[in-house]
């Protein structure tokens, strides 16, 4: 598996898109710091960008890589290599190269700005961890979609729809249902609904750490009230980990049954 | 030795293989023939474990194949369509497959045989169909495995490469290997193969030597014998 990971990883970091992604984060980091002049404020702005953008990039890169490396995959399938090694190796290759772009692209400007002497270092680290988690989750979801859809166009559409749903539509529906059922106790519903959306989970995770109750919103407040700050952090992180494990596990089992 | 027991495979409602039983002994060249869509490639891919059959077993050298696919170290496979990662160079690709497989390979000899020296640094995207097929052949033959499976090895080859391929196959046969070939070029099949397996409607219709097939159908050459079977079954 490590060999496949290595080849996928190097194949990707040689591609132009990885550099575009990296350059984008570098630019974003510098511009934010220049405009905000304050590390903590920059972290909050960054959170809003990361939470929407990282899933989008993860999904698109995931499906794109799967479809474009189809030939490579077919070649590998005839070799004495386990199927799970092939697909998990490729998945990790994509996800880790994206994580690397994220960490370097945002880390560099913040370090240059004096991150290590600042109190914001833990907030920033958590932001990067969340970004990494979101990359792992959405790349895995994208691989799942691609494995189930031979048709590229269909696969792409489902991937974009998934992102759109979780990043935008989900919150709208959620809000709508809160308004519609405001006479009922909604704590449990809110809690469960949050757990089913990794983007919401990530937002709450970061806001809990930043301890800005004004930004927490209804869901965050309930989360905070239910779990408390530290337990809330841990359980949110645990849920995110589960969001990584389940799709990856499904990649493995689906790959085992598929015909090539 | 390859043994297939009661192999069934369908794609959706489309039944491709409906109970294939086949035993291929050691040593020799076996041609798998059949009309388009008769399940030749599906059968080969089931042997390789690339297709997961609904029912049935495949044994390689007396051992049932394991889904982890590690038994493939005893198999060399030439896919029908030469699909390669396009942004790799020929040399890089060969190096990568060698590395992944972790065994010795004699690629230099094959590169020379097919005259690929000038293409080693070219990207695979920029190669012609025939040249890609030559690269494909190098990848399939460079490992010294006891079983070789060739799916349409002749496609896109020029006459010189074709001669070289026949020589290469004969050489591998002399080493005592088992070679499975599918092809639609009957003269090629007639020239190289020891035995024929004829697939029709998802089953083995005939297995035996070319001589036996001729006697069975009463035709003189292989092409007509095959045509005879097909028209007889359609009528």
């Amino acid at each position: 598996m490590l060999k496949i990971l290595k080849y996928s990883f190097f194949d990707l970091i040689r591609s132009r898109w990885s550099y575009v992604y990296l350059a984008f984060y570098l630019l974003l980091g510098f511009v934010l710091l220049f405009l905000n002049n304050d590390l903590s404020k920059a972290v909050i702005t960054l959170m809003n960008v990361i939470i929407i953008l990282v899933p989008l990039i993860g999904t698109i890169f995931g499906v794109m890589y799967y479809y474009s490396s189809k030939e490579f995959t077919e070649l590998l399938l005839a070799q004495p290599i386990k199927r799970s090694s092939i697909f998990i190796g490729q998945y990790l290759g994509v996800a880790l190269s994206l994580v690397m772009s994220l960490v370097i692209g945002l880390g560099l400007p913040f370090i240059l700005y004096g991150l290590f002497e600042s109190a914001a270092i833990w907030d920033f680290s958590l932001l990067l961890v969340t970004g990494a988690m979101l990359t792992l989750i959405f790349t895995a979801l994208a691989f799942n979609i691609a494995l189930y859809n031979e048709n590229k166009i269909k696969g792409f559409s489902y991937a974009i729809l998934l992102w759109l749903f979780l990043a935008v539509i989900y919150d709208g529906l959620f809000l709508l249902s809160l308004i519609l059922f405001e006479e009922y106790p909604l704590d449990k519903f809110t809690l469960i609904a949050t757990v089913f959306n990794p983007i919401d989970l990530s937002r709450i995770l970061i806001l809990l750490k930043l301890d800005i109750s004004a930004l927490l919103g209804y869901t965050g407040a309930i989360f905070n009230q239910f779990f408390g700050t530290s337990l809330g952090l841990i359980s949110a992180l645990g849920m995110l980990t589960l969001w990584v494990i389940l799709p990856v596990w499904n990649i493995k089992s689906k790959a085992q049954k598929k015909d090539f | 030795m390859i043994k297939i027991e009661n192999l069934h495979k369908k794609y959706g409602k489309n039944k491709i293989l409906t109970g294939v039983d086949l035993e291929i002994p050691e040593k020799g060249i076996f041609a798998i023939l059949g009309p388009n869509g008769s399940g030749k490639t599906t059968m080969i891919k089931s042997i390789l474990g690339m297709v997961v059959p609904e029912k049935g077993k495949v044994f390689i050298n007396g051992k049932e194949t394991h889904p982890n696919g590690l038994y493939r170290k005893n198999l060399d496979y030439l896919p029908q369509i030469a699909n390669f990662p396009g942004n790799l160079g020929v040399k890089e690709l060969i190096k990568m497959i060698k590395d992944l497989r972790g065994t010795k390979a004699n690629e230099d000899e094959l590169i020379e045989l097919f005259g690929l020296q000038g293409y080693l640094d070219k990207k695979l995207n920029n190669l012609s169909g025939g040249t890609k097929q030559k690269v494909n052949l190098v990848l399939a033959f460079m490992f010294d495995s006891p079983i070789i499976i060739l799916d349409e090895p002749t496609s896109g080859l020029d006459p010189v490469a074709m001669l070289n391929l026949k020589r290469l196959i004969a050489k591998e046969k002399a080493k005592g290997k088992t070679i499975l070939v599918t092809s639609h070029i009957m003269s090629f099949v007639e020239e190289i193969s020891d035995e024929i397996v004829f697939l029709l409607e998802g089953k083995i219709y005939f297995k035996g030597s070319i001589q036996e097939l001729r006697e069975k159908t009463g035709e003189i050459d292989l092409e007509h014998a095959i045509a005879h079977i097909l028209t007889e079954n359609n009528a």
Side-chain angles (χ1 to χ4, degrees):
Chain A
M1 187 182 89
L2 283 175
K3 277 181 186 167
I4 311 269
L5 200 169
K6 187 182 84 185
Y7 281 114
S8 299
F9 185 79
F10 284 116
D11 183 31
L12 273 161
I13 56 172
R14 274 196 312 191
S15 97
R16 194 168 24 139
W17 287 107
S18 299
Y19 290 105
V20 173
Y21 190 48
L22 177 70
F24 171 79
Y25 277 125
L26 277 173
L27 193 73
L28 181 72
F30 280 119
V31 167
L32 278 181
L33 286 170
F34 176 73
L35 290 177
N36 277 311
N37 248 330
D38 177 7
L39 277 171
S40 317
K41 277 185 195 155
V43 167
I44 297 173
T45 319
L46 212 52
M47 177 199 79
N48 285 316
V49 179
I50 280 187
I51 268 171
I52 298 300
L53 197 73
V54 163
L56 179 67
I57 300 286
T59 343
I60 296 202
F61 258 69
V63 274
M64 216 164 72
Y65 187 79
Y66 179 91
Y67 287 124
S68 71
S69 64
K70 233 178 146 160
E71 289 94 21
F72 180 47
T73 312
E74 271 168 32
L75 198 64
L76 293 176
L77 282 164
Q79 304 299 327
I81 307 168
K82 282 189 205 165
R83 280 189 178 193
S84 52
S85 306
I86 296 173
F87 289 96
I88 303 292
Q90 289 186 347
Y91 158 69
L92 285 178
V94 180
L96 293 182
S97 76
L98 289 178
V99 169
M100 199 180 76
S101 295
L102 176 80
V103 171
I104 295 179
L106 289 179
L108 220 58
F110 275 75
I111 287 171
L112 289 179
Y113 203 80
L115 177 72
F116 289 123
E117 283 100 57
S118 148
I121 180 158
W122 291 113
D123 297 346
F124 182 71
S125 309
L126 184 73
L127 189 72
L128 289 188
V129 169
T130 317
M133 284 295 224
L134 282 174
T135 308
L136 288 171
I137 291 168
F138 279 87
T139 314
L141 291 176
F143 261 69
N144 271 299
I145 291 174
L147 269 168
Y148 281 95
N149 291 286
E150 280 299 300
N151 187 333
K152 250 189 225 188
I153 311 282
K154 258 191 183 167
F156 261 101
S157 323
Y158 285 139
I160 298 283
L161 272 176
L162 174 82
W163 170 79
L164 199 69
F165 179 74
L166 288 178
V168 185
I169 299 171
Y170 194 91
D171 279 355
L173 289 177
F174 184 48
L175 211 64
L176 210 68
S177 54
L178 286 185
I179 294 168
L180 276 174
F181 300 108
E182 63 182 339
E183 285 138 47
Y184 301 91
L186 286 167
D187 302 27
K188 282 227 174 82
F189 169 72
T190 311
L191 218 56
I192 292 166
T194 314
V195 165
F196 280 108
N197 186 346
I199 295 182
D200 278 348
L201 262 175
S202 310
R203 182 181 295 128
I204 289 173
L205 179 67
I206 297 168
L207 289 173
L208 281 175
K209 176 75 182 79
L210 291 176
D211 210 11
I212 312 167
S213 39
L215 286 178
L216 269 176
Y218 180 63
T219 48
I222 291 212
F223 219 80
N224 201 2
Q225 183 196 357
F226 195 80
F227 288 116
T229 305
S230 51
L231 190 65
L233 274 173
I234 292 166
S235 50
L237 212 58
M239 291 301 172
L240 280 179
T241 316
L242 212 60
W243 263 103
V244 180
I245 293 170
L246 289 179
V248 170
W249 178 79
N250 199 49
I251 291 176
K252 222 183 125 176
S253 70
K254 174 68 188 167
Q256 220 71 261
K257 289 179 238 148
K258 199 172 151 76
D259 295 321
F260 292 92
Chain B
M1 190 200 81
I2 304 169
K3 196 175 152 198
I4 299 174
E5 268 181 23
N6 195 25
L7 197 69
H8 286 258
K9 178 71 198 171
K10 58 174 185 242
Y11 294 111
K13 277 182 188 161
N14 197 2
K15 284 182 184 161
I16 305 288
L17 300 177
T18 51
V20 172
D21 287 294
L22 182 62
E23 205 164 323
I24 290 172
E26 247 164 88
K27 288 180 203 166
I29 301 174
F30 301 85
I32 300 170
L33 306 179
N36 303 83
S38 58
K40 301 186 292 285
T41 298
T42 306
M43 192 174 94
I44 283 178
K45 285 188 167 178
S46 308
I47 296 174
L48 281 156
M50 293 170 77
V51 161
V52 186
E54 265 96 52
K55 225 164 66 181
K57 287 175 183 166
V58 177
F59 298 88
I60 306 264
N61 296 329
K63 263 198 195 157
E64 193 180 345
T65 54
H66 192 277
N68 71 17
L70 297 181
Y71 69 90
R72 285 192 284 258
K73 66 178 186 295
N74 291 321
L75 296 173
D76 287 334
Y77 170 55
L78 179 96
Q80 184 172 24
I81 302 160
N83 275 333
F84 299 121
N87 52 353
L88 277 179
V90 174
K91 217 199 299 182
E92 276 176 293
L93 177 73
I94 293 174
K95 214 180 118 204
M96 185 177 82
I97 296 294
K98 265 169 73 182
D99 179 34
L100 286 169
R101 203 136 164 165
T103 41
K104 264 199 331 206
N106 57 336
E107 76 275 18
D108 295 333
E109 205 181 298
L110 292 163
I111 288 169
E112 213 183 294
L113 179 70
F114 289 112
L116 287 171
Q117 298 95 327
Y119 297 97
L120 289 179
D121 293 315
K122 293 233 166 72
K123 291 259 165 81
L124 284 150
N125 262 346
N126 303 331
L127 298 184
S128 73
T131 315
K132 267 191 197 166
Q133 182 66 0
K134 288 179 189 170
V135 175
N136 204 3
L137 284 165
V138 172
L139 289 176
F141 278 101
M142 69 181 183
F143 300 105
D144 201 16
S145 308
I147 298 168
I148 304 175
I149 298 174
L150 307 169
D151 202 349
E152 297 280 349
T154 55
S155 70
L157 292 183
D158 58 42
V160 179
M162 188 87 142
L163 276 175
N164 285 329
L165 173 67
K166 283 180 200 163
R167 244 176 257 151
L168 187 62
I169 293 177
K171 208 177 100 192
E172 297 298 313
K173 184 191 162 188
K175 288 187 195 165
K177 295 187 178 183
T178 311
I179 303 171
L180 284 188
V181 191
T182 74
S183 180
H184 285 295
I185 300 178
M186 287 306 137
S187 58
F188 175 75
V189 172
E190 216 163 354
E191 204 177 326
I192 61 155
S193 57
D194 300 317
E195 251 190 59
I196 286 179
V197 176
F198 195 87
L199 270 178
L200 196 65
E201 286 161 4
K203 278 201 169 76
I204 306 276
Y205 181 81
F206 171 84
K207 180 175 177 284
S209 67
I210 296 177
Q211 187 58 38
E212 284 167 354
L213 185 70
R214 282 198 197 113
E215 282 163 13
K216 190 179 176 181
T217 54
E219 300 279 351
I220 306 148
D221 68 275
L222 184 60
E223 206 150 22
H224 284 95
I226 299 291
H228 182 99
I229 296 177
L230 291 180
T231 42
E232 199 173 61
N233 276 279
N234 279 340

